[in-house]
Amino acid sequence: MADYDYKCVPFIATVKGGFFSKDNAGTIASQLESVINVNAVGGWEFYGVYQVQTLVKPGCLGSLIGRTEVAIPYDLVTFRKLK
């Protein structure tokens, strides 16, 4: 079985205008493709895009007014390379 090193790169797409526009889907795809291509130059093989949840606790003021933890999703582009 092959032995790999893995690398995760945060991915946050930026769009203009309405989110559900066809142009924006193309913009997001282009941005993701760019991240993949930049890392491929270093010998990293694209492995997948994954979403992780991070629990963020409220600050002092938020706690005082009864706010609770909020789960914030983050997208990570994952790469692998043979060791």
Side-chain angles (χ1 to χ4, degrees):
M1 189 157 106
D3 199 14
Y4 293 97
D5 284 326
Y6 291 89
K7 172 169 83 166
C8 295
V9 177
F11 178 71
I12 300 173
T14 56
V15 295
K16 297 178 182 175
F19 180 76
F20 295 104
S21 165
K22 284 184 183 180
D23 292 335
N24 287 334
T27 299
I28 293 168
S30 178
Q31 291 171 19
L32 180 58
E33 187 176 287
S34 177
V35 169
I36 293 169
N37 287 333
V38 164
N39 286 278
V41 171
W44 292 95
E45 172 190 1
F46 173 70
Y47 192 66
V49 177
Y50 300 93
Q51 189 174 81
V52 297
Q53 301 287 322
T54 302
L55 290 178
V56 179
K57 295 181 181 184
C60 295
L61 184 56
S63 294
L64 288 173
I65 60 173
R67 291 208 174 134
T68 59
E69 291 180 332
V70 176
I72 305 292
Y74 287 98
D75 292 322
L76 298 174
V77 182
T78 305
F79 300 90
R80 70 182 184 177
K81 179 168 37 173
L82 283 170
K83 286 188 176 187

